[in-house]
Amino acid sequence: MTKYDYKVTAAGRINIIGEHIDYCGGKVMPAALSLNNTVYVRPNGTDKINISWTTLDDKVTLDINKLDSYKGVKYGNYQAGAAYMWQQAGHKVLGCDMLHDCTVPFGSGLSSSAAIEVSTIAALATIADEPIDSVRIALSAQQAEREYTGVNCGIMDQYASACGKKDRVMLLDCSTVECEYLPLVLGDYSLVIINCNKPHNLVESKYNERRSEVEHGLKTLQTVLDVSCLAEVTEEQFEKHGNLLGGKVYDRCKHVVEECARVEKAAVAMKRGDIKTLGELLNASHKSLKELYEVTGKELDALVAAAQSHPACIGSRMTGAGFGGCTISLVHKDGVEQFKHAVAKEYRQNIGYDCKIYDAEISDGITVTKI
Ligand code: GLA
């Protein structure tokens, strides 16, 4: 391999609980994964960012004076968007050679795009001798996802990718971007991540659709409640005023209000080491995402049903945006191997193709190593 100066990584993530509420100002509970994107980087003294990949033959060159012009490219648009937003935020972007190596599976709902965006910016900051400000990097990466790639996402993925800590979950308040780190102590239980392997589609359009539904609901509720975001609406207030909302908008907002309450309960359970309660909250979250928010689909539902029916499992839910991607399950350590075997078999029988089980640890967000 050509000699690079630095190895910079940013993580993929799971979300333990708090789904589809980051863009409503809610608290979420993600954790960074050891599946990550690595950028090997060195400055090249030109105006060009030359990108190559360990997994592709293609090479892409970006002109640092025209970073806004790569939205339509097949490869390199995440890097271009990230570099562009970082530059727009007033940071120096230098020409460089980058080799990307991504171990976060694409379309898995484990935030490969956030890992790419965050590691690209961290690499650019590193070669410009800027100190790594993980929160700023996360915010520029989120802006890239929203304004460059067109997914109107919240801050959860980029924050987790940048600011995650080994063996810690984050209790991230998305309205203030303040974060409390909680130790991930699961006692006799392990977290199992399984990809339903559904071909990824509709995520972007459906995601943006859900956002506008809840924004619409908020506007209506604001006619009677003094709240700045949906996460501020209590369950009691929703009980009283929810009838102002029609059909699907009612369902979507009910999910948000109740999911926010579940996160609070999950944080308490986590701090007490009450993993059984955490498991029950995971199950309730999935049910709500299926019935009220309608972002699961038959594949994720089949995977969760198979998991929940296994005796070693005390809770299972989809994680991430949904419509495909991964589930997480809390499984008793003594039964993990049987669980994996049984769920994989049942999923294949019901859906007709295999799911994929990942071995991943809870890990750090951005890391920078001189090489
Ligand atoms: C995607 C988005 C996040 C969040 C989740 C759903 O991963 O990027 O901001 O909204 O979906 O919780």
Side-chain angles (χ1 to χ4, degrees):
M1 190 167 74
T2 337
K3 176 86 176 74
Y4 290 90
D5 291 355
Y6 295 95
K7 177 184 174 187
V8 179
T9 70
R13 63 101 191 86
I14 48 168
N15 184 20
I16 308 276
I17 194 160
E19 215 65 88
H20 282 281
I21 58 170
D22 61 343
Y23 50 79
C24 303
K27 284 188 187 166
V28 295
M29 206 190 270
L33 293 176
S34 50
L35 299 167
N36 63 13
N37 189 59
T38 299
V39 183
Y40 298 91
V41 66
R42 59 159 180 230
N44 62 18
T46 74
D47 279 358
K48 305 281 191 288
I49 299 176
N50 300 314
I51 306 172
S52 56
W53 288 267
T54 52
T55 48
L56 286 175
D57 290 333
D58 297 58
K59 288 190 177 17
V60 167
T61 294
L62 310 173
D63 185 329
I64 58 173
N65 304 306
K66 292 190 213 151
L67 286 170
D68 59 338
S69 61
Y70 300 100
K71 290 189 179 143
V73 299
K74 189 168 173 205
Y75 300 114
N77 61 331
Y78 287 114
Q79 289 85 346
Y84 178 60
M85 292 306 169
W86 190 239
Q87 193 180 52
Q88 289 292 103
H91 300 274
K92 203 192 282 175
V93 168
L94 298 177
C96 58
D97 302 328
M98 286 183 170
L99 171 66
H100 281 252
D101 181 27
C102 194
T103 57
V104 190
F106 297 119
S108 62
L110 301 179
S111 291
S112 53
S113 61
I116 295 167
E117 291 152 353
V118 168
S119 56
T120 297
I121 299 177
L124 291 170
T126 301
I127 57 165
D129 272 339
E130 270 198 59
I132 296 293
D133 181 335
S134 305
V135 177
R136 270 182 190 216
I137 291 176
L139 289 167
S140 284
Q142 178 201 20
Q143 206 185 351
E145 186 86 33
R146 288 165 87 147
E147 293 172 27
Y148 212 89
T149 33
V151 181
N152 200 9
C153 65
I155 185 62
M156 175 171 75
D157 302 352
Q158 291 77 16
Y159 192 97
S161 176
C163 308
K165 288 195 201 302
K166 189 170 167 42
D167 298 330
R168 297 273 189 280
V169 299
M170 290 163 259
L171 184 58
L172 172 65
D173 184 332
C174 299
S175 62
T176 57
V177 200
E178 276 164 16
C179 178
E180 183 186 348
Y181 290 88
L182 307 177
L184 181 70
V185 183
L186 295 177
D188 291 336
Y189 294 89
S190 296
L191 207 50
V192 179
I193 306 169
I194 314 183
N195 190 345
C196 76
N197 275 338
K198 178 191 182 183
H200 213 46
N201 58 10
L202 282 181
V203 179
E204 285 153 31
S205 63
K206 287 282 175 199
Y207 185 90
N208 291 344
E209 186 183 297
R210 290 294 177 280
R211 268 203 82 145
S212 43
E213 286 168 332
V214 290
E215 274 156 22
H216 181 73
L218 172 64
K219 284 216 178 83
T220 307
L221 290 172
Q222 280 172 331
T223 60
V224 291
L225 293 173
D226 181 21
V227 289
S228 59
C229 62
L230 215 42
E232 283 175 20
V233 178
T234 64
E235 287 179 289
E236 293 73 32
Q237 287 172 327
F238 192 77
E239 180 101 351
K240 195 158 163 215
H241 301 293
N243 57 0
L244 292 174
L245 309 173
K248 296 284 182 206
V249 172
Y250 172 87
D251 289 352
R252 310 300 189 231
C253 293
K254 187 171 162 61
H255 164 76
V256 172
V257 171
E258 292 178 352
E259 184 77 354
C260 288
R262 277 190 286 271
V263 175
E264 296 294 346
K265 290 182 193 147
V268 172
M270 193 86 137
K271 285 177 188 165
R272 280 201 197 129
D274 180 359
I275 308 306
K276 288 238 162 78
T277 299
L278 186 63
E280 285 160 17
L281 292 163
L282 258 52
N283 289 341
S285 172
H286 188 84
K287 186 171 189 300
S288 178
L289 290 158
K290 176 183 176 194
E291 293 172 4
L292 298 177
Y293 220 69
E294 296 183 287
V295 291
T296 57
K298 72 173 191 319
E299 298 80 3
L300 283 170
D301 290 338
L303 205 47
V304 162
Q308 288 175 348
S309 68
H310 192 275
C313 176
I314 55 163
S316 182
R317 64 181 286 275
M318 56 154 269
T319 191
F323 307 106
C326 286
T327 63
I328 51 166
S329 305
L330 283 170
V331 184
H332 197 282
K333 283 185 174 145
D334 294 342
V336 170
E337 285 319 309
Q338 295 99 308
F339 169 84
K340 289 180 178 173
H341 186 74
V343 170
K345 188 168 163 214
E346 191 173 327
Y347 185 74
R348 190 175 215 333
Q349 271 164 4
N350 290 337
I351 297 294
Y353 52 82
D354 287 327
C355 57
K356 180 150 177 50
I357 303 174
Y358 300 117
D359 283 317
E361 314 268 303
I362 304 303
S363 201
D364 285 325
I366 294 172
T367 68
V368 177
T369 316
K370 180 121 181 68
I371 48 179

